[in-house]
Amino acid sequence: AAAGGCATAQRATPADPQFLNQPLISSIYTADPSAHVFNGRIYLYPSHDIEAGVPEDDLGSHFAMRDYHVFSMERVGTEVSDHGVVLRLEDIPWAGRQLWAPDAAYKDGKYFLYFPAKDKQDIFRIGVAVSDRAEGPFKAEPEPINGSFSIDPAVFTDTDGQSYMIFGGIWGGQLQRWATGTYEQNGSVTDLKQPDKPALMPKIARMNADMLTFAEAPRDLSIVDEAGKPLLGGDSDRRFFEGSWMHKYQGRYYLSYSTGDTHRLVYAVADNPYGPFTYQGVLLDPVQGWTNHHSIVEHDGKWWLFYHDTQLSGKTHLRNVKVTELNYNPDGSIRTIKPMR
Ligand code: FUB
């Protein structure tokens, strides 16, 4: 089992057949890895799972995380450095509990850590913290991002330098409670409960140049089937649940996400960041544990999928980050990855 404290780990090389089945970090529990290449190095911004003693429920109350660490490596297969605690719950003025899946971005000499947390009214909002170094520490802004809600921010910066935040998650992520535009305190704890109607979609908002504020009201990122029809709420094998990530490959935009209660990572493709995105298929089959959450990054001439499972603990809320190579077919489709279970 993982022990507390800061450590580094020497890893096997990617040529080692065992490599892809090993946790990247075993000194603490980590999950929801957002990977970025800054200054030629891979930086990881994961959740830091802890045993908080909160009973498990469908709202994810047992995911009661209290801080973030940053990790980095020269390239996949080299030593992973733990840069220690970079932001604590008690240093975020507006936050009440549950520091969930973060992401990071860079602009004009500053690094930005984006994170969801429940505010003092127990409503998920998305906050931002700033540093002049990729490895932090980060200083939180006094308020959450105006107009933000729900969970799992992923900030995608296009090749023209424009950044967008994609976010949202149903069930414990509360997205269904915002269906009318304002938060419904006593709303559904799962989804819209309308299996024959379009599913809830992830949200997207263009970021202002300050990277601290939205330049527009969040819009739906429509995900459609091969006939152009929105995926339906009852289509649990394909519909959006949480954990969005956007990347660009050969000029096309790839939106990948978790299907939650069917435990897959799937993806959809569009020719612009606002979509509509056409569903393509499964990226990663279910892993050990309930959640499935990832990021995709290009480094050293290869594409990498960072994800997590529960190999170290066997407990769904105590996860460990892994990495594996991601491969495309000549037509741009992604080859489905089958994880160790
Ligand atoms: O880590 C807490 C939550 O679990 C994340 O925000 C979700 O994406 C799921 O992985």
Side-chain angles (χ1 to χ4, degrees):
C6 167
T8 58
Q10 190 64 51
R11 295 187 45 73
T13 68
D16 180 336
Q18 285 305 307
F19 173 79
L20 301 176
N21 291 330
Q22 292 178 17
L24 260 185
I25 297 154
S26 54
S27 51
I28 58 172
Y29 294 113
T30 53
D32 312 320
S34 291
H36 290 275
V37 177
F38 294 133
N39 307 311
R41 197 172 166 86
I42 301 176
Y43 285 85
L44 278 186
Y45 301 87
S47 300
H48 173 198
D49 285 355
I50 53 168
E51 181 51 84
V54 179
E56 193 166 328
D57 62 23
D58 281 349
L59 296 177
S61 304
H62 45 306
F63 295 103
M65 298 85 105
R66 300 190 57 87
D67 64 29
Y68 294 110
H69 284 231
V70 174
F71 299 83
S72 70
M73 68 201 85
E74 191 184 322
R75 60 182 183 281
V76 171
T78 64
E79 186 179 62
V80 178
S81 300
D82 180 350
H83 298 287
V85 176
V86 300
L87 183 66
R88 293 181 171 82
L89 185 62
E90 51 269 36
D91 296 328
I92 305 165
W94 58 270
R97 62 179 179 136
Q98 292 182 293
L99 293 182
W100 281 16
D103 191 19
Y106 168 82
K107 191 178 178 78
D108 297 340
K110 298 272 182 216
Y111 295 85
F112 301 87
L113 181 71
Y114 300 94
F115 57 91
K118 281 185 179 158
D119 65 13
K120 306 266 164 58
Q121 286 72 48
D122 240 20
I123 300 172
F124 267 117
R125 306 279 181 184
I126 295 170
V128 56
V130 185
S131 178
D132 51 17
R133 300 187 313 176
E135 67 270 29
F138 291 86
K139 184 169 174 26
E141 291 290 295
E143 301 287 343
I145 295 174
N146 192 25
S148 72
F149 52 90
S150 196
I151 60 167
D152 290 1
V155 175
F156 165 72
T157 300
D158 206 344
T159 37
D160 64 0
Q162 178 62 57
S163 295
Y164 304 83
M165 182 182 289
I166 298 102
F167 64 94
I170 62 173
W171 290 33
Q174 302 178 339
L175 189 61
Q176 70 280 359
R177 295 188 170 187
W178 290 92
T180 59
T182 52
Y183 185 74
E184 290 172 57
Q185 184 68 42
N186 298 313
S188 164
V189 295
T190 55
D191 58 11
L192 293 177
K193 298 185 183 295
Q194 294 175 331
D196 300 329
K197 296 271 169 56
L200 287 154
M201 302 291 174
K203 300 283 179 182
I204 185 168
R206 190 162 44 86
M207 304 291 298
N208 277 319
D210 63 10
M211 297 294 274
L212 302 173
T213 50
F214 291 162
E216 60 184 354
R219 322 183 195 178
D220 276 353
L221 260 188
S222 176
I223 307 167
V224 301
D225 64 15
E226 53 289 352
K229 300 237 171 62
L231 297 187
L232 301 180
D235 188 355
S236 57
D237 281 340
R238 302 194 296 177
R239 62 90 173 88
F240 169 73
F241 190 102
E242 64 185 2
S244 305
W245 187 260
M246 191 178 285
H247 75 280
K248 199 172 183 180
Y249 175 72
Q250 294 188 340
R252 306 195 75 201
Y253 297 82
Y254 286 64
L255 171 70
S256 43
Y257 55 91
S258 170
T259 61
D261 56 344
T262 54
H263 315 292
R264 296 172 167 149
L265 293 182
V266 299
Y267 74 104
V269 171
D271 56 16
N272 76 85
Y274 288 107
F277 283 81
T278 305
Y279 180 86
Q280 302 291 311
V282 178
L283 166 62
L284 179 68
D285 279 339
V287 294
Q288 289 176 321
W290 200 96
T291 64
N292 204 346
H293 190 132
H294 70 300
S295 63
I296 295 168
V297 71
E298 185 182 21
H299 190 245
D300 238 8
K302 293 187 173 192
W303 286 87
W304 301 101
L305 175 76
F306 287 85
Y307 67 106
H308 67 230
D309 67 16
T310 58
Q311 184 184 331
L312 284 177
S313 74
K315 293 186 181 165
T316 207
H317 62 294
L318 298 175
R319 301 162 289 181
N320 49 262
V321 166
K322 293 186 168 181
V323 63
T324 191
E325 197 177 336
L326 179 135
N327 290 291
Y328 300 88
N329 294 308
D331 65 358
S333 58
I334 294 174
R335 291 192 207 143
T336 303
I337 296 165
K338 303 201 177 300
M340 185 191 80
R341 284 186 60 84

